[in-house]
């Protein structure tokens, strides 16, 4: 039921942004007819050529798609291993953990703390592995790879918990865990497709050229976050 409700939400979000894109195409056509600034019509021959030439590129080259995929791999291991469920049960204090589960949770938390401690300490090494050539954060390898590092940390914690608690027995279990959340949340990638196409089309038509870029980026981020909504309702399949 929860999965159906989550999929229904994602379906609604996809439909909303599809309709918004259709409305955008209509308004861009009207705007181009009446010469509203530098508006470019999506329904013109040039606009249709742009859509056909960029629809795939806009989607697969969007950083959001890669970020979600990589995060889902690490989160999938956490969910499939039972670590997420164990943390919830420990926090609620209403459901007791078995001795094996407590040991697995303790080791998993210990590995996570050690991993992030080593990550923080490595930032101050003289080799300058993470920062850009000026020693800053912007466009540095660390900022670009932060999502990957977080996913590795989650994956390590989930693997430790899974093997100690006997949820994982083979490496194939880990691989299945990495793909489990992607499969469970497949509707998310459909929603992201329509969100990305809408904002790419909005930029092409120039209908929002008078709107501050930071506002548009904020709306884009919020919309993408909404596509991930209810992922925390998923339960580990032990």
């Amino acid at each position: 039921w929860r999965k159906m409700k989550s999929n229904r939400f994602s379906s609604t979000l996809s439909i909303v942004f599809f309709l918004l894109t259709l409305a955008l195409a209509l308004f861009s056509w009207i705007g181009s007819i009446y010469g509203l600034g530098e508006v470019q019509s999506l329904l013109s021959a040039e606009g249709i050529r742009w859509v056909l030439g960029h629809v795939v590129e806009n989607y697969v080259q969007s950083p959001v798609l890669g970020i979600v995929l990589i995060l889902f791999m690490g989160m999938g291991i956490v969910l499939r291993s039972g670590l997420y469920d164990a943390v919830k049960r420990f926090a609620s204090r209403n459901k007791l953990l078995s001795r094996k589960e407590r040991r697995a949770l303790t080791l998993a938390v210990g590995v996570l703390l050690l991993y992030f401690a080593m990550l923080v300490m490595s930032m101050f090494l003289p080799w300058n592995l993470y920062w850009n050539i000026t020693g800053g954060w912007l466009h540095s390898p660390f900022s670009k790879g932060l999502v990957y590092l977080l996913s590795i940390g989650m994956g390590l914690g989930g693997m430790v918990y899974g093997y100690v608690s006997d949820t994982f027995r083979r490496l194939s279990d880990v691989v299945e865990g990495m793909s489990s959340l992607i499969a469970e949340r497949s509707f998310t990638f459909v929603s992201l497709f329509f969100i990305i196409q809408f904002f790419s089309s909005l930029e092409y038509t120039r209908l929002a050229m008078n709107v501050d870029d930071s506002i548009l980026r904020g709306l884009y981020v919020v919309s993408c976050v909404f596509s991930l909504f209810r992922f925390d309702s998923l339960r580990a399949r032990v």
Side-chain angles (χ1 to χ4, degrees):
W1 165 250
R2 289 184 176 180
K3 181 181 176 181
M4 290 177 60
K5 192 172 182 180
S6 178
N7 288 346
R8 188 179 305 161
F9 176 83
S10 297
S11 299
T12 302
L13 192 63
S14 300
I15 294 170
V16 167
F17 275 93
F18 173 69
L19 294 176
L20 285 174
T21 304
L22 291 181
L24 182 65
L26 178 61
F27 286 128
S28 68
W29 175 66
I30 296 173
S32 64
I33 290 177
Y34 289 97
L36 300 179
E38 302 178 2
V39 174
Q40 299 184 114
S41 174
L42 281 175
L43 299 179
S44 65
E46 182 180 352
I48 293 174
R49 283 196 295 269
W50 178 85
V51 171
L52 295 176
H54 292 82
V55 63
V56 176
E57 177 183 313
N58 290 336
Y59 185 53
V60 299
Q61 293 187 4
S62 171
V64 174
L65 182 63
I67 288 172
V68 173
L69 281 169
I70 291 174
L71 280 177
F72 273 18
M73 290 182 190
M75 291 177 180
I77 296 176
V78 170
L79 289 168
R80 180 60 68 92
S81 67
L83 175 57
Y84 177 71
D85 184 63
V87 171
K88 283 181 61 178
R89 289 160 57 195
F90 178 80
S92 66
R93 299 183 181 276
N94 294 326
K95 298 181 180 179
L96 297 177
L97 298 174
S98 67
R99 179 178 298 179
K100 181 181 290 187
E101 289 173 330
R102 289 197 302 271
R103 182 171 65 251
L105 182 59
T106 300
L107 289 174
V109 171
V111 167
L112 280 172
L113 291 176
L114 179 62
Y115 171 77
F116 287 111
M118 293 176 60
L119 196 61
V120 171
M121 288 189 295
S122 64
M123 295 179 186
F124 302 98
L125 292 176
W127 306 317
N128 196 23
L129 295 175
Y130 296 129
W131 312 120
N132 58 31
I133 56 176
T134 62
W137 158 267
L138 190 63
H139 303 303
S140 66
F142 183 77
S143 65
K144 294 178 180 178
L146 180 59
V147 170
Y148 180 56
L149 293 172
L150 289 174
S151 186
I152 289 177
M154 290 186 291
L156 285 174
M159 287 174 62
V160 170
Y161 182 89
Y163 280 116
V164 175
S165 65
D166 291 332
T167 305
F168 291 161
R169 297 179 182 275
R170 302 176 300 274
L171 284 177
S172 59
D173 295 331
V174 178
V175 176
E176 290 175 6
M178 293 176 67
S179 62
S180 62
L181 189 56
I182 297 174
E184 291 281 357
R185 294 293 300 165
S186 57
F187 273 77
T188 295
F189 300 99
V190 178
S191 299
L192 283 175
F193 172 80
F194 288 106
I195 292 170
I196 291 168
Q197 298 309 323
F198 169 76
F199 281 96
S200 299
S201 299
L202 183 62
E203 181 180 1
Y204 172 80
T205 61
R206 300 178 182 175
L207 281 171
M209 62 182 303
N210 294 325
V211 180
D212 190 89
D213 287 342
S214 61
I215 296 177
L216 292 177
R217 283 195 297 269
L219 290 173
Y220 178 61
V221 170
V222 169
S223 300
C224 291
V225 169
F226 264 109
S227 71
L228 308 179
F229 197 67
R230 294 187 186 280
F231 80 86
D232 60 334
S233 66
L234 296 174
R235 300 293 296 270
R237 291 183 176 179
V238 179

